[in-house]
PDB file of all heavy atoms in Angstrom:
ATOM      1  N   ASP A  19      30.925 108.759  74.754  1.00 94.00           N
ATOM      2  CA  ASP A  19      32.327 109.000  74.507  1.00 94.00           C
ATOM      3  C   ASP A  19      32.537 110.443  74.243  1.00 94.00           C
ATOM      4  O   ASP A  19      31.983 111.191  73.387  1.00 94.00           O
ATOM      5  CB  ASP A  19      32.967 108.163  73.359  1.00 94.00           C
ATOM      6  CG  ASP A  19      34.346 108.402  73.101  1.00 94.00           C
ATOM      7  OD1 ASP A  19      35.224 107.927  73.820  1.00 94.00           O
ATOM      8  OD2 ASP A  19      34.548 109.147  72.239  1.00 94.00           O
ATOM      9  N   TYR A  34      24.467 124.885  62.150  1.00 97.00           N
ATOM     10  CA  TYR A  34      23.783 126.144  62.512  1.00 97.00           C
ATOM     11  C   TYR A  34      24.482 127.277  61.966  1.00 97.00           C
ATOM     12  O   TYR A  34      23.766 128.252  61.487  1.00 97.00           O
ATOM     13  CB  TYR A  34      23.900 126.142  64.089  1.00 97.00           C
ATOM     14  CG  TYR A  34      23.412 127.501  64.705  1.00 97.00           C
ATOM     15  CD1 TYR A  34      22.031 127.825  64.741  1.00 97.00           C
ATOM     16  CD2 TYR A  34      24.416 128.410  65.118  1.00 97.00           C
ATOM     17  CE1 TYR A  34      21.758 129.020  65.344  1.00 97.00           C
ATOM     18  CE2 TYR A  34      24.086 129.643  65.654  1.00 97.00           C
ATOM     19  CZ  TYR A  34      22.702 129.936  65.765  1.00 97.00           C
ATOM     20  OH  TYR A  34      22.362 131.211  66.199  1.00 97.00           O
ATOM     21  N   SER A  88      59.126 132.801  76.212  1.00 96.00           N
ATOM     22  CA  SER A  88      60.649 132.576  76.245  1.00 96.00           C
ATOM     23  C   SER A  88      61.240 133.134  74.984  1.00 96.00           C
ATOM     24  O   SER A  88      60.750 132.749  73.957  1.00 96.00           O
ATOM     25  CB  SER A  88      60.949 131.187  76.654  1.00 96.00           C
ATOM     26  OG  SER A  88      62.325 131.090  76.471  1.00 96.00           O
ATOM     27  N   PRO A  89      62.240 133.872  75.021  1.00 95.00           N
ATOM     28  CA  PRO A  89      63.050 134.340  73.755  1.00 95.00           C
ATOM     29  C   PRO A  89      63.617 133.270  72.951  1.00 95.00           C
ATOM     30  O   PRO A  89      63.982 133.558  71.911  1.00 95.00           O
ATOM     31  CB  PRO A  89      64.023 135.406  74.363  1.00 95.00           C
ATOM     32  CG  PRO A  89      64.244 135.135  75.734  1.00 95.00           C
ATOM     33  CD  PRO A  89      62.962 134.530  76.258  1.00 95.00           C
ATOM     34  N   GLY A 131      57.435 116.887  87.806  1.00 91.00           N
ATOM     35  CA  GLY A 131      57.945 115.694  87.008  1.00 91.00           C
ATOM     36  C   GLY A 131      58.188 115.931  85.565  1.00 91.00           C
ATOM     37  O   GLY A 131      57.336 116.626  85.002  1.00 91.00           O
ATOM     38  N   ALA A 153      55.791 136.068  99.793  1.00 97.00           N
ATOM     39  CA  ALA A 153      55.624 135.498 101.042  1.00 97.00           C
ATOM     40  C   ALA A 153      54.756 136.376 101.978  1.00 97.00           C
ATOM     41  O   ALA A 153      54.227 135.889 102.953  1.00 97.00           O
ATOM     42  CB  ALA A 153      57.015 135.362 101.718  1.00 97.00           C
ATOM     43  N   LEU A 198      44.984 139.764  82.237  1.00 98.00           N
ATOM     44  CA  LEU A 198      44.630 138.499  83.184  1.00 98.00           C
ATOM     45  C   LEU A 198      43.244 138.319  83.059  1.00 98.00           C
ATOM     46  O   LEU A 198      42.239 139.236  83.227  1.00 98.00           O
ATOM     47  CB  LEU A 198      45.077 138.872  84.561  1.00 98.00           C
ATOM     48  CG  LEU A 198      45.145 137.574  85.465  1.00 98.00           C
ATOM     49  CD1 LEU A 198      46.435 136.974  85.261  1.00 98.00           C
ATOM     50  CD2 LEU A 198      45.034 138.054  86.899  1.00 98.00           C
ATOM     51  N   PHE A 199      42.893 136.936  82.724  1.00 98.00           N
ATOM     52  CA  PHE A 199      41.499 136.421  82.764  1.00 98.00           C
ATOM     53  C   PHE A 199      41.099 136.005  84.095  1.00 98.00           C
ATOM     54  O   PHE A 199      41.679 135.035  84.488  1.00 98.00           O
ATOM     55  CB  PHE A 199      41.352 135.482  81.588  1.00 98.00           C
ATOM     56  CG  PHE A 199      40.046 134.812  81.508  1.00 98.00           C
ATOM     57  CD1 PHE A 199      38.865 135.532  81.335  1.00 98.00           C
ATOM     58  CD2 PHE A 199      39.811 133.434  81.614  1.00 98.00           C
ATOM     59  CE1 PHE A 199      37.558 134.880  81.350  1.00 98.00           C
ATOM     60  CE2 PHE A 199      38.648 132.816  81.440  1.00 98.00           C
ATOM     61  CZ  PHE A 199      37.503 133.531  81.397  1.00 98.00           C
ATOM     62  N   SER A 203      34.869 135.196  87.193  1.00 98.00           N
ATOM     63  CA  SER A 203      33.866 136.262  86.733  1.00 98.00           C
ATOM     64  C   SER A 203      33.706 136.209  85.079  1.00 98.00           C
ATOM     65  O   SER A 203      32.868 136.850  84.669  1.00 98.00           O
ATOM     66  CB  SER A 203      34.409 137.529  87.201  1.00 98.00           C
ATOM     67  OG  SER A 203      35.491 138.023  86.526  1.00 98.00           O
ATOM     68  N   LEU A 209      46.293 144.781  82.553  1.00 97.00           N
ATOM     69  CA  LEU A 209      47.286 145.032  83.488  1.00 97.00           C
ATOM     70  C   LEU A 209      48.148 146.277  83.233  1.00 97.00           C
ATOM     71  O   LEU A 209      48.927 146.714  84.124  1.00 97.00           O
ATOM     72  CB  LEU A 209      48.135 143.799  83.710  1.00 97.00           C
ATOM     73  CG  LEU A 209      47.496 142.490  84.180  1.00 97.00           C
ATOM     74  CD1 LEU A 209      48.395 141.328  84.187  1.00 97.00           C
ATOM     75  CD2 LEU A 209      46.730 142.743  85.499  1.00 97.00           C
ATOM     76  N   GLY A 229      40.842 154.644  69.008  1.00 51.00           N
ATOM     77  CA  GLY A 229      40.694 153.279  69.260  1.00 51.00           C
ATOM     78  C   GLY A 229      40.623 152.226  68.002  1.00 51.00           C
ATOM     79  O   GLY A 229      40.242 152.871  66.958  1.00 51.00           O
ATOM     80  N   VAL A 232      37.606 145.469  66.722  1.00 58.00           N
ATOM     81  CA  VAL A 232      37.483 144.156  66.262  1.00 58.00           C
ATOM     82  C   VAL A 232      35.982 143.789  66.215  1.00 58.00           C
ATOM     83  O   VAL A 232      35.480 143.588  67.353  1.00 58.00           O
ATOM     84  CB  VAL A 232      38.402 143.210  66.993  1.00 58.00           C
ATOM     85  CG1 VAL A 232      38.382 141.826  66.443  1.00 58.00           C
ATOM     86  CG2 VAL A 232      39.772 143.752  67.159  1.00 58.00           C
ATOM     87  N   GLY A 234      32.977 141.338  65.872  1.00 54.00           N
ATOM     88  CA  GLY A 234      32.523 139.917  65.743  1.00 54.00           C
ATOM     89  C   GLY A 234      31.021 139.887  65.355  1.00 54.00           C
ATOM     90  O   GLY A 234      30.376 140.920  65.051  1.00 54.00           O
ATOM     91  N   LYS A 235      30.589 138.720  65.312  1.00 49.00           N
ATOM     92  CA  LYS A 235      29.129 138.563  64.834  1.00 49.00           C
ATOM     93  C   LYS A 235      28.093 139.240  65.790  1.00 49.00           C
ATOM     94  O   LYS A 235      27.072 139.885  65.392  1.00 49.00           O
ATOM     95  CB  LYS A 235      28.652 137.100  64.683  1.00 49.00           C
ATOM     96  CG  LYS A 235      27.332 136.792  64.213  1.00 49.00           C
ATOM     97  CD  LYS A 235      27.163 137.205  62.695  1.00 49.00           C
ATOM     98  CE  LYS A 235      25.878 136.776  62.173  1.00 49.00           C
ATOM     99  NZ  LYS A 235      25.705 137.238  60.809  1.00 49.00           N
ATOM    100  N   GLY A 247      37.140 147.444  75.684  1.00 60.00           N
ATOM    101  CA  GLY A 247      35.854 147.285  76.259  1.00 60.00           C
ATOM    102  C   GLY A 247      34.945 146.533  75.225  1.00 60.00           C
ATOM    103  O   GLY A 247      35.275 146.569  73.937  1.00 60.00           O
TER     104      GLY A 247
END
Side-chain angles (χ1 to χ4, degrees):
D19 177 78
Y34 171 75
S88 171
L198 194 80
F199 175 55
S203 70
L209 299 178
V232 180
K235 182 68 176 178

